[in-house]
Every structure is written in structure tokens, then in C-alpha cells.
Amino acid sequence: IEMLAKRLKLSWIREHYQEVNADTNEEFLLELFKREVENREERKINLLLSQAQLPKTGAQPFQWEHIQIPQGISREAVLNGDFIHEKENLILYGGVGTGKTYLATLISLNAIRSFGSKVKFFTVASLVNHLLEANQKGELQKVMKQIKKLDLLVLDELGYIPLNKEGAELLFQVISMCYETKSIIITTNLQFGQWNHVFGDPILTEA
């Protein structure tokens, strides 16, 4: 059994088949396959969580008391990531300490655990630095291809650090590429009218 399970890449069965007890052969096989599937799903989720590089969250539930949600959108729809399935975007706006990053992380965790979504979390500054470095090395297209494979891109702290012209243009390329093909969560402390301070160009900001 171990040899055949190894050839079929049934890692859980190969290592644990002797631990399974059942009254019939059919029940034995059913339990083996059930455990193997559960193990694969767990490994997949753990890999997605590792690749997402989400910030750590506490055990406290999110505090909604002072959060304003536009009419027609429910808390459940936000947490369940309905906008991700529709390839729409979510902007979390507010001052420091209002829980924007925490909520973005909770949504990302739920998308990974419930739907197996591919998520990547960046602060805007870290993504822009990553894009600038990749561009200098001639590896920008490689980075863009990696982002293309995502279901959800989280851009945290838009507006906290001003961007130079090249950085703003590269960030715009990413946002433009994601338009209607995948979802973005943006957290920011800036009203829309102030976004020009980030991109430095009224045309880019408008787009």
C-alpha cells in the first residue's frame, strides 16, 4: 500500500492508512480518500496563506460601530467577498486606527479559507519598491504575470508615502491591469479629492 500510495502521490494514505478502522472495505476506502482530500485541502490553504503574506490579526472580532457602509452593501457581503466574485473593488477609507488593515485582512483570510482564492497583500510603498526594482532588473513582466494570477490584490496604506513619477506610473499599470479581471482592496486615509497627491498627475488620478 505504501509503495502504490507513493506512486499515486497519496501522501496522507501512505503515512496513516494503518490508523484507519472500518467495518467494511468500502468504509475503509471511503475514510482513506476522505482523509486524503482533507489533507490536500489543508495543505493548499496553508500554501495560499503563506503566499498571501497577510499581517497578523488578533483574536478580537472587527468593531463595526463607527463604520459607514454605502446603501445596498451589507457587512456579510463585504466579509464574504461578494465583490471578489464580481471582480469589483473595495476601498476602505478612514483615519489611523479605524481598522482598515484589519478588515482587509479578515476579508482576505475568508476568501482563502472559504473559496481557495489567490490573494497577495502589499503596502503600497512595498509594492512600488518591488515594481521599481523589477523594472530596473528587466523583470517587470514577470512580476505583472504573478499579479495577473491573483483573485484579490490588497494595497494597504495608499497615501501614507508620496510616490515619485515612475513609481506612480507603475502602480497605475498594476491597477489598470486588474480592472474588471480581478479585485483590489485599497486602504487609505485620503479622500478621493486628495488622491492626486499620491499619483502626482491629474490624468492618472482621474483614470
Side-chain angles (χ1 to χ4, degrees):
I1 291 178
E2 290 181 17
M3 182 182 68
L4 293 173
K6 183 177 181 180
R7 290 182 63 183
L8 291 170
K9 298 181 179 180
L10 303 173
S11 59
W12 191 94
I13 291 176
R14 178 169 59 87
E15 297 173 6
H16 301 282
Y17 73 93
Q18 293 175 325
E19 302 170 11
V20 175
N21 296 313
D23 295 328
T24 66
N25 290 336
E26 183 177 346
E27 289 177 359
F28 179 71
L29 285 172
L30 182 62
E31 187 64 20
L32 284 180
F33 289 133
K34 178 183 175 183
R35 299 280 191 90
E36 182 68 39
V37 168
E38 289 174 349
N39 180 255
R40 290 191 179 190
E41 288 298 317
E42 183 179 352
R43 283 186 294 165
K44 177 185 175 182
I45 295 302
N46 288 337
L47 178 61
L48 289 171
L49 288 170
S50 175
Q51 292 173 340
Q53 295 186 314
L54 299 172
K56 293 182 180 179
T57 60
Q60 296 296 322
F62 184 74
Q63 302 299 315
W64 292 92
E65 285 76 8
H66 304 291
I67 305 301
Q68 296 180 7
I69 302 178
Q71 192 172 3
I73 303 175
S74 66
R75 295 180 187 179
E76 291 73 22
V78 172
L79 285 173
N80 291 338
D82 290 358
F83 66 97
I84 302 173
H85 309 307
E86 300 296 328
K87 295 180 172 57
E88 296 174 341
N89 306 309
L90 181 68
I91 296 175
L92 305 176
Y93 161 69
V96 176
T98 51
K100 303 182 297 297
T101 300
Y102 190 15
L103 181 56
T105 303
L106 290 179
I107 295 167
S108 300
L109 285 170
N110 191 57
I112 292 171
R113 289 172 175 162
S114 299
F115 308 108
S117 301
K118 294 180 181 178
V119 179
K120 187 72 172 180
F121 183 101
F122 289 100
T123 64
V124 169
S126 67
L127 175 59
V128 169
N129 287 335
H130 186 45
L131 293 170
L132 288 169
E133 184 178 345
N135 198 31
Q136 290 171 359
K137 293 180 178 179
E139 299 176 353
L140 183 60
Q141 289 308 310
K142 178 182 176 182
V143 174
M144 290 295 192
K145 284 181 180 179
Q146 292 170 345
I147 294 174
K148 267 187 177 181
K149 295 177 182 178
L150 300 175
D151 299 302
L152 173 64
L153 174 65
V154 182
L155 300 178
D156 194 36
E157 299 181 347
L158 179 75
Y160 284 71
I161 297 176
L163 307 177
N164 62 26
K165 186 174 184 295
E166 183 184 1
E169 289 174 351
L170 289 171
L171 178 61
F172 174 79
Q173 284 186 44
V174 169
I175 295 173
S176 179
M177 179 184 70
C178 294
Y179 180 63
E180 292 188 339
T181 64
K182 61 192 82 281
S183 293
I184 299 175
I185 294 177
I186 293 176
T187 75
T188 182
N189 62 344
L190 296 180
Q191 298 179 9
F192 286 122
Q194 298 173 302
W195 280 31
N196 189 43
H197 299 312
V198 178
F199 293 97
D201 184 327
I203 297 176
L204 280 186
T205 306
E206 182 67 22

